[in-house]
Amino acid sequence: QVQLVESGGGLVQPGGSLRLSCAASGITFSIYGVGWHRQAPGKQRELVAHITSGGNVYYADSVKGRFTISRDNAKNTVVLQMNSLKPEDTAVYYCNVARAPNTYWGQGTQVTVSS
């Protein structure tokens, strides 16, 4: 059974930082691409950052220079370090692992950026 457990969300002031973590079990984590997506109220879910099994990374333009994605295959975890947070970063953040034809999602963690 595949499980993805996210942690690290919360309430932070604009300009602050949060570190999201996603721990995977039930898969050979190292061969999967891993991504963080987010969904704000009334908006579609969007890809924020992605890291391939080979370590190549992608960032949405809206988070470039502020967010960093990394993975630790020995610990089956992926981390999203979020700095210089803005109110528009407020959303539920979801961890996703995928390797065709399989894709799995975490339950989501709320990030709220507000003063």
Side-chain angles (χ1 to χ4, degrees), residues 2-115:
V2 179
Q3 281 194 316
L4 301 176
V5 180
E6 298 122 332
S7 61
L11 173 64
V12 64
Q13 292 187 342
S17 298
L18 283 175
R19 183 175 182 271
L20 304 184
S21 182
C22 175
S25 60
I27 57 172
T28 305
F29 181 77
S30 62
I31 67 173
Y32 280 73
V34 191
W36 286 95
H37 300 241
R38 67 187 181 188
Q39 188 166 20
K43 295 188 177 181
Q44 289 188 331
R45 190 173 297 189
E46 62 174 353
L47 175 63
V48 174
H50 182 267
I51 184 167
T52 68
S53 58
N56 295 316
V57 297
Y58 161 86
Y59 297 99
D61 287 343
S62 58
V63 306
K64 280 181 182 176
R66 302 188 296 121
F67 291 10
T68 303
I69 188 170
S70 61
R71 65 188 297 163
D72 184 336
N73 290 334
K75 296 181 179 180
N76 287 4
T77 59
V78 58
V79 170
L80 184 68
Q81 178 66 44
M82 305 186 295
N83 299 327
S84 302
L85 283 161
K86 304 175 180 180
E88 52 263 43
D89 295 317
T90 295
V92 178
Y93 284 70
Y94 297 91
C95 174
N96 169 262
V97 296
R99 178 179 170 86
N102 301 311
T103 186
Y104 304 99
W105 293 89
Q107 81 284 357
T109 185
Q110 177 70 46
V111 171
T112 302
V113 185
S114 176
S115 54

